[in-house]
Amino acid sequence: MSEPAPESPVVAVARVGPGAVEALRARVLRAGTGLDALRYEQDADPRTATFAATLGPDPDEAPVGTATVFPAPCPWAPSEAGAWRLRAMATEAGLRGRGVGAAVLRAAVDHVAAEGGRLVWCDARVAARAFYERHGFTVEGEGYEVEGIGPHWPMARHLTG
Ligand SMILES: CC(C)(COP(=O)(O)OP(=O)(O)OC[C@H]1O[C@@H](n2cnc3c(N)ncnc32)[C@H](O)[C@@H]1OP(=O)(O)O)[C@@H](O)C(=O)NCCC(=O)NCCS
């Protein structure tokens, strides 16, 4: 008999500055690579939107999930208008499978839609493919290796309405 699904622990997803999620990004996305912090050049762009999920009502609480979106042409569909890249999706290791990732991804995609974006694309780690598919993304080409991280799929979600 399967266990009942746990209640989603997320109480808040908020837009934050990139500094608020740097430690979480480093722990989850660069674990074991020797890089102790994770910054992207797009973090300085005011159009870049980073979201963080926390488990309690205190906004200063450490984030347990994060996702970042910013306008960027889709590498495999460069002429497609309104393309945004999704990057740095991460949930704290002990808290996965409870809807934290779903909540921050929803916030990120909602933001892109509110900004008039038409397409959200990402380099998806192979282990995360099913997660993205569950949220409307599809694989749009051949898999490839991202140096130092591993195999990835090119994935995108086309926004309608
Ligand atoms: C990918 C990642 C961000 C997903 O975060 P998450 O918080 O576990 O996401 P969710 O809980 O919303 O969904 C994960 C799974 O739990 C399931 N789930 C979602 N809500 C649930 C709930 N309330 N109860 C039980 N299960 C639930 C989903 O069906 C999903 O299953 P899947 O893995 O087969 O797709 C997370 O696994 C992670 O940080 N991985 C390491 C870094 C990484 O790969 N990032 C992506 C880079 S492209």
Side-chain angles (χ1 to χ4, degrees):
M1 205 168 83
S2 60
E3 294 285 320
E7 287 297 309
S8 170
V10 178
V11 299
V13 177
R15 187 171 172 179
V16 296
V21 296
E22 232 173 56
L24 176 62
R25 284 176 175 181
R27 266 198 308 282
V28 175
L29 297 168
R30 288 293 185 271
T33 65
L35 300 176
D36 47 340
L38 195 52
R39 300 190 183 99
Y40 299 121
E41 72 230 43
Q42 297 85 11
D43 284 340
D45 184 334
R47 297 170 305 166
T48 297
T50 291
F51 295 89
T54 49
L55 298 184
D58 179 357
D60 293 330
E61 197 178 323
V64 296
T66 184
T68 295
V69 282
F70 51 90
C74 180
W76 57 90
S79 58
E80 202 141 343
W84 287 59
R85 180 174 179 181
L86 169 70
R87 209 170 181 192
M89 273 275 347
T91 297
E92 200 73 81
L95 292 165
R96 293 184 191 150
R98 301 200 203 175
V100 172
V104 285
L105 180 57
R106 195 177 310 118
V109 171
D110 285 353
H111 177 79
V112 172
E115 291 294 311
R118 308 282 303 277
L119 172 78
V120 184
W121 66 272
C122 65
D123 293 315
R125 296 182 185 203
V126 292
R129 175 179 171 163
F131 167 77
Y132 288 119
E133 284 177 336
R134 206 155 284 147
H135 295 285
F137 286 71
T138 51
V139 170
E140 301 218 325
E142 299 291 315
Y144 44 83
E145 193 76 13
V146 175
E147 204 187 331
I149 303 179
H152 284 68
W153 292 109
M155 296 190 79
R157 175 170 159 185
H158 298 261
L159 307 181
T160 51

